[in-house]
Amino acid sequence: MSQPAIQLKANARLTSTNPARGYEVLGNVEISTEIEVKSKIKDAHKAQKAWHKIGLDQRVKHLRSLHTHLTKHKDEFVKRQSLEMGMPKTLSNSILEGFLADLVWNCDNAKNCLSNKTLFEDDSEVNELVYEPYGVIACIAAWNFPFGNFIQSTSQALLAGNAIVMKYSEEIPLFSKYLEETISLSNFPEGVINFVYGDAQVGSILADQDIDFLTFTGSSETGQKLYQKAASKLIPIALELGGSSPAIVFEDCSIDDALIENLFWKRFLNSAQFCDGMKRLIVHNSLLEEVSEKLAIYAKTKLIGDPLDEKTELGPLVAERQIIKLEEQIKDALDKGARLHCGGRRPESLNGAFYEPTILTNITKNMRVWSEEVFGPALPIIGFNTYEEAIELANDTEYGLSGSVFTNDKALARRVLLDLKAGSLQHGNAHFYRSQNPFGGYKKSGIGRQKGEAGFDEITQIKVIAWEK
Ligand code: NAD
């Protein structure tokens, strides 16, 4: 179903700007026309057949050598993530290493996850389960973890024998171009991984093409639109969407430096621009003032600045539009009676999309910082008295991506992890985000899973073949 009203001008360009240096222009990239999008889809269909035919062992080999090739260019990817979307360099480096490790895990485990399995056998017949690729997958992705979005949306799909046409967010065209060029300089088979460039319009055109599966990472609002497109074609879709993840702090916790540091970074890493970041903090009323004040004191010690400077702890947001939305959400909270412990403003000495980490209490459920996803450095903190109240507050969201609990009582922690309605949950210093663990959301946080064995299941069709002996 194409949209005839959309006409993309030939030679139109996406301009990339630096959010840490007054939006100075970094470069631009040509927007793909509808004809170019169609041509990439055609190339992908052609290449996919051969890619499937070479078999799993060969595909694993290709992905391993792509890993080696991407690793050689790691420093440039790190730099480009920092330049274009503002991720501090040290974080950019460690995040990249984490995603490269995911790629290795996927290669190491593809055979186990995707090999045929005998389901039934007797004297006269054998029934076997066979994993097959869907065909061509359109991947439409966000901007907040550029390298990670690529590994997470494509690597398992490629290993399974699918071909990819990827469109990144319009916020990071230069990163996308560099990734495309780097892959083209490797010996990866041509036409299997393809890129197109543009904003929502190009994303919409891509989703309308002859594709067999759609993978989307981005906001729940866009996810809903794409779900409708997939429904009209009756193709499967995997949706990795927004979140408003809660963390609960019980009264037996001591509010020491380690806990404050843990809570702070659960919220403010990457300037609070990550889907499964802690977005609402629920603290026992006896600790509410202490936690809020200690977090505010800690926040004021963090160095905000140029992401390319290795000392920088908090970079800018990706773009001015993110700041504007954040300011509206914070203003709404303050107008409705929220108390500001720190932040609530742009730092005066910096020119770009910078915003100070902001801590808010006196939160009520009618405030946007409570009911909406806040994709920037603000943390609403609310108090509770009883277990039931804490769980009710934590689950009081349209989203269900993740959640955390802090208590020394292990039985209580386990009860909370089981009572929270979300895809990934953690207690204290434990981490759910690992290569082998599936990742995805409940409710408006998504449909389907990426990573781990469940990620392979998501992007393969299963076929049963029964034959006589
Ligand atoms: P977004 O929905 O605005 O855009 C995401 C992508 O979709 C971009 O490439 C954009 O060009 C494209 N797009 C927008 N409208 C479209 C349309 N109508 N048709 C086709 N394509 C369209 O989201 P964003 O602001 O780029 O990213 C931030 C959001 O992504 C947050 O909500 C965040 O929580 C979420 N996110 C989720 C995960 C996850 O794994 N669950 C990971 C990263 C980000």
Side-chain angles (χ1 to χ4, degrees):
M1 193 178 65
S2 70
Q3 296 181 336
I6 297 176
Q7 291 294 329
L8 293 173
K9 280 192 218 141
N11 305 322
R13 300 185 88 83
L14 280 177
T15 300
S16 176
T17 58
N18 184 341
R21 297 220 176 145
Y23 311 103
E24 71 182 15
V25 173
L26 293 166
N28 54 58
V29 171
E30 208 164 291
I31 295 174
S32 308
T33 63
E34 186 161 357
I35 292 169
E36 283 160 353
V37 175
K38 282 185 190 303
S39 149
K40 294 280 171 134
I41 294 281
K42 207 168 149 201
D43 292 349
H45 275 292
K46 198 166 154 221
Q48 190 270 330
K49 289 182 183 63
W51 177 241
H52 182 209
K53 218 167 167 188
I54 61 172
L56 182 55
D57 287 344
Q58 287 304 312
R59 291 198 296 275
V60 170
K61 255 191 199 164
H62 278 296
L63 266 296
R64 284 197 197 283
S65 83
L66 183 63
H67 172 271
T68 307
H69 187 71
L70 294 175
T71 305
K72 275 190 203 142
H73 295 80
K74 197 184 92 178
D75 290 349
E76 193 58 32
F77 285 118
V78 166
K79 189 172 133 204
R80 281 167 188 261
Q81 285 190 149
S82 297
L83 261 182
E84 217 173 3
M85 61 73 55
M87 189 185 292
K89 201 172 165 194
T90 37
L91 174 66
S92 182
N93 188 55
S94 65
I95 294 268
L96 218 102
E97 280 174 1
F99 283 110
L100 283 167
D102 284 351
L103 177 52
V104 171
W105 189 91
N106 289 338
C107 290
D108 289 348
N109 290 276
K111 190 127 192 176
N112 183 35
C113 295
L114 297 173
S115 292
N116 300 353
K117 294 176 179 68
T118 300
L119 298 176
F120 173 82
E121 185 166 6
D122 65 9
D123 293 343
S124 57
E125 62 176 275
V126 180
N127 297 181
E128 202 179 330
L129 185 73
V130 177
Y131 295 89
E132 295 212 324
Y134 277 98
V136 171
I137 300 188
C139 296
I140 300 176
W143 44 264
N144 57 339
F145 287 100
F147 192 79
N149 282 157
F150 172 71
I151 300 295
Q152 210 163 293
S153 331
T154 71
S155 61
Q156 293 187 315
L158 290 165
L159 285 161
N162 299 286
I164 303 293
V165 181
M166 178 142 193
K167 189 200 85 66
Y168 266 112
S169 165
E170 56 276 28
E171 301 290 357
I172 50 165
L174 298 180
F175 180 91
S176 178
K177 199 55 158 182
Y178 181 71
L179 179 60
E180 179 181 15
E181 284 166 5
T182 306
I183 294 171
S184 75
L185 294 174
S186 73
N187 62 357
F188 207 81
E190 221 174 294
V192 177
I193 307 174
N194 307 273
F195 291 82
V196 295
Y197 296 85
D199 57 11
Q201 207 180 1
V202 177
S204 181
I205 289 171
L206 174 59
D208 285 336
Q209 302 307 310
D210 173 22
I211 54 174
D212 303 296
F213 192 106
L214 183 53
T215 293
F216 174 71
T217 307
S219 64
S220 303
E221 197 190 350
T222 309
Q224 268 176 310
K225 289 183 194 157
L226 290 172
Y227 197 21
Q228 283 168 354
K229 277 190 190 281
S232 70
K233 292 156 149 325
L234 212 60
I235 58 164
I237 182 165
L239 297 169
E240 296 289 341
L241 308 178
S244 184
S245 301
I248 305 176
V249 177
F250 280 91
E251 61 190 310
D252 64 340
C253 288
S254 64
I255 312 305
D256 54 20
D257 291 353
L259 179 61
I260 291 299
E261 193 178 335
N262 192 345
L263 290 172
F264 182 85
W265 290 114
K266 273 195 165 49
R267 176 52 184 142
F268 294 102
L269 192 83
N270 205 21
S271 289
Q273 302 167 109
F274 64 118
C275 52
D276 59 324
M278 171 185 83
K279 295 183 184 147
R280 295 171 303 130
L281 181 56
I282 299 159
V283 179
H284 191 269
N285 271 321
S286 62
L287 303 174
L288 182 65
E289 186 64 19
E290 186 183 0
V291 169
S292 314
E293 273 307 298
K294 284 187 171 170
L295 273 172
I297 291 166
Y298 187 74
K300 287 175 193 160
T301 66
K302 296 299 105 192
L303 201 62
I304 309 175
D306 190 332
L308 287 176
D309 183 341
E310 291 193 352
K311 291 195 290 300
T312 294
E313 294 170 282
L314 292 167
L317 280 80
V318 69
E320 174 81 6
R321 68 176 168 107
Q322 288 297 121
I323 298 246
I324 291 169
K325 183 166 180 197
L326 177 70
E327 284 175 334
E328 287 167 3
Q329 290 169 317
I330 292 173
K331 181 175 184 308
D332 169 79
L334 295 174
D335 288 349
K336 289 175 181 159
R339 177 179 156 207
L340 186 68
H341 290 256
C342 66
R345 57 179 190 174
R346 304 181 188 208
E348 276 167 20
S349 57
L350 296 166
N351 181 14
F354 293 97
Y355 202 84
E356 291 184 8
T358 300
I359 308 281
L360 296 163
T361 55
N362 282 357
I363 299 298
T364 50
K365 288 183 176 185
N366 65 343
M367 293 176 182
R368 291 178 60 188
V369 291
W370 182 263
S371 60
E372 295 177 2
E373 177 180 45
V374 179
F375 219 58
L379 176 64
I381 311 181
I382 199 164
F384 73 91
N385 286 319
T386 64
Y387 178 86
E388 289 69 27
E389 224 183 305
I391 297 298
E392 191 276 322
L393 285 166
N395 285 332
D396 179 36
T397 168
E398 302 185 303
Y399 298 103
L401 197 52
S402 64
S404 306
V405 57
F406 294 88
T407 171
N408 299 313
D409 179 341
K410 303 228 174 348
L412 173 65
R414 190 169 167 77
R415 192 175 157 208
V416 173
L417 300 183
L418 295 174
D419 279 348
L420 294 187
K421 304 287 176 226
S424 299
L425 294 151
Q426 57 201 0
H427 167 218
N429 292 318
H431 292 291
F432 58 69
Y433 201 83
R434 298 183 187 283
S435 305
Q436 52 274 66
N437 294 352
F439 182 75
Y442 281 25
K443 302 192 268 181
K444 284 195 178 168
S445 288
I447 293 177
R449 294 292 180 269
Q450 289 179 334
K451 296 166 74 85
E453 193 169 347
F456 279 115
D457 288 345
E458 194 70 39
I459 39 73
T460 44
Q461 321 220 43
I462 49 172
K463 179 189 265 185
V464 173
I465 52 173
W467 74 89
E468 286 183 358
K469 273 186 169 170

